[in-house]
Amino acid sequence: MPRRLSLIQLGKGTVGSALIDQVAEQRPALRERLGVDLVYAGIAGRSHGVLEPRGVDLKRWRAAVKAGDGLGGRQLLRRAMGSISGAAVLVDATAEEGMAGLYLEAVAGGFHVVSCNKKPLAGPLADYRRVQEACRRKRRFWLHEVTVGAGLPVITTLRDLLDGGDRLESIEGCFSGTLNFLCAALDGGQKLSKAVARARELGYTEPDPRDDLAGGDVARKALILAREAGLDLEPEDVKVEPFCPVDGDGDAGAFMKGLERLDAPMAKRCREAAARDRRYRYVARVGRGCSAGPAEVPAGSALGRLGGPENVFVFRTARYRDFPLVVSGPGAGPQVTAAGAFADVIRVARSIAHTA
Ligand SMILES: NC(=O)c1ccc[n+]([C@@H]2O[C@H](COP(=O)([O-])OP(=O)(O)OC[C@H]3O[C@@H](n4cnc5c(N)ncnc54)[C@H](OP(=O)(O)O)[C@@H]3O)[C@@H](O)[C@H]2O)c1
């Protein structure tokens, strides 16, 4: 008889729906291989949700959510806590602020938590530590691999290094697929305004590209890594410089129109860097502190060689000093992100299988 792991998922957008579909496909194999049955007991969006403790029929989960009885995420979780027994995971596939309180409720109710959402990890330090402490006391996982580098094993690598007694000196890299796409386009002689418009068309940017260009998303990822490495930093402790001057006035459309004025100065910066055999990149660094900003890097380095919407993370530690440990690959996209969150769910499933 397989052990059961119930899933309650908030968020059924791009990443959330890809995750449900991946779990549906892989469920029989995991039942066989791990002896754990992954059962979606609840799925909710902003205003609609379905709670079915015996398991939502994953062949028709979209219709089931639509026909659900107006349960938002919070209500769904509270009802689920009263009706599910055994091991359970709350999956946060939203981009909502203020989820730390909900996580605390979930952990108090015995749930593990898997987050795709960066905000609860990159908000006030006290909230972050409270959730960590609650998980430690209740012996529950709080896994969030995809909050940095999507499906790439970045946080797992950092945890394994530290748990194994290695000493982190720095993590340096390009943490934004969107900004790397722009850098690669500028390397190829494209105009900044055209490259941003193309990145927007391809769905790489946030709805308002200023959110990417201002560096806030990279700063959040750097802060998450810094906290994971044990640094007690607040969001305002991260030193952030924008990728290029970002005018906060007006809507995204007006900003896009005005972007042409930056074409010539950005092209000049990239040309000058190339003349020195260097490349213009948006580099984040976690060491004693935490920073994110534009920098020139050697053309032949791991950062300089990036040629598209990839991420790269260069770990320097006491054991990996002369030859750093490098993790790189696609750092965004629904399938790889969902796969990373799925891997977190499987980590919980394995722990159940092993304690059975
Ligand atoms: N896309 C990527 O490559 C990537 C990579 C790494 C991490 N992430 C993170 O993954 C998360 C999800 O991204 P996404 O691209 O899937 O976003 P999305 O398509 O905008 O989906 C967000 C989902 O959250 C739901 N939601 C919002 N508030 C909610 C609430 N209070 N309770 C329950 N559901 C709520 C929305 O409900 P409705 O359907 O009702 O609107 C929607 O289904 C984000 O935090 C993002 O930063 C994404």
Side-chain angles (χ1 to χ4, degrees):
M1 186 75 172
R3 302 276 312 256
R4 174 190 159 122
L5 179 60
S6 302
L7 307 177
I8 295 289
Q9 182 170 308
L10 310 187
K12 49 164 185 62
T14 320
V15 173
S17 51
L19 175 59
I20 298 169
D21 293 338
Q22 288 183 8
V23 171
E25 196 180 320
Q26 196 60 11
R27 185 180 171 198
L30 288 174
R31 212 164 25 207
E32 185 72 21
R33 213 176 295 152
L34 285 185
V36 177
D37 193 15
L38 300 182
V39 178
Y40 263 101
I43 302 170
R46 219 174 289 265
S47 55
H48 274 76
V50 57
L51 178 64
E52 176 47 72
R54 280 170 307 168
V56 176
D57 177 0
L58 294 186
K59 287 200 191 79
R60 46 175 301 280
W61 70 264
R62 290 176 175 83
V65 173
K66 217 180 252 172
D69 56 359
L71 279 179
R74 210 164 279 267
Q75 300 98 304
L76 183 102
L77 176 70
R78 288 189 182 144
R79 276 210 211 162
M81 288 197 291
S83 55
I84 293 177
S85 58
V89 180
L90 170 70
V91 179
D92 176 7
T94 75
E96 289 292 284
E97 303 271 1
M99 294 300 258
L102 195 71
Y103 290 5
L104 286 171
E105 273 187 53
V107 173
F111 278 61
H112 302 277
V113 178
V114 168
S115 309
C116 303
N117 184 359
K118 295 175 209 74
K119 291 175 184 158
L121 289 128
L125 180 65
D127 288 351
Y128 171 80
R129 291 282 180 233
R130 224 171 274 135
V131 178
Q132 268 201 330
E133 179 54 24
C135 289
R136 200 188 56 77
R137 270 200 320 268
K138 292 280 283 183
R139 296 177 164 272
R140 291 294 178 270
F141 288 107
W142 182 18
L143 301 173
H144 50 85
E145 182 61 87
V146 306
T147 57
V148 181
L152 300 177
V154 178
I155 291 172
T156 313
T157 300
L158 175 58
R159 276 201 192 124
D160 287 349
L161 290 171
L162 297 176
D163 287 347
D166 205 346
R167 208 182 58 255
L168 183 73
E169 292 175 357
S170 65
I171 307 171
E172 195 176 50
C174 297
F175 299 179
S176 161
T178 312
L179 296 183
N180 289 337
F181 174 84
L182 297 180
C183 288
L186 292 171
D187 287 346
Q190 281 185 44
K191 290 179 176 164
L192 177 73
S193 57
K194 293 264 178 324
V196 175
R198 182 75 186 128
R200 223 175 163 209
E201 267 168 35
L202 291 169
Y204 291 155
T205 67
E206 295 293 322
D208 185 336
R210 281 173 292 193
D211 293 339
D212 296 293
L213 298 174
D217 184 57
V218 173
R220 270 196 205 109
K221 292 174 184 169
L223 179 59
I224 292 170
L225 286 178
R227 286 178 171 177
E228 197 64 44
L231 298 183
D232 280 344
L233 298 182
E234 293 289 355
E236 54 277 16
D237 295 327
V238 185
K239 294 190 189 84
V240 195
E241 280 180 57
F243 176 75
C244 59
V246 176
D247 178 357
D249 294 339
D251 62 11
F255 170 72
M256 290 298 290
K257 278 198 193 110
L259 204 52
E260 283 175 17
R261 77 192 155 80
L262 295 178
D263 286 347
M266 288 298 281
K268 184 165 175 273
R269 279 190 85 161
C270 290
R271 266 198 319 273
E272 286 173 356
R276 290 187 282 271
D277 201 24
R278 298 177 80 80
R279 298 284 178 264
Y280 185 75
R281 294 288 180 262
Y282 194 78
V283 179
R285 191 166 200 286
V286 177
R288 290 212 180 125
C290 203
S291 64
E296 283 186 18
V297 301
S301 65
L303 277 61
R305 285 197 307 270
L306 285 175
E310 302 154 71
N311 280 191
V312 63
F313 300 83
V314 180
F315 291 80
R316 284 202 168 74
T317 70
R319 294 174 189 154
Y320 291 94
R321 186 174 291 135
D322 298 336
F323 297 99
L325 190 161
V326 179
V327 177
S328 73
Q335 290 304 328
V336 290
T337 305
F342 194 5
D344 278 347
V345 169
I346 292 171
R347 273 178 203 110
V348 180
R350 281 202 190 106
S351 79
I352 293 170
H354 293 157
T355 53

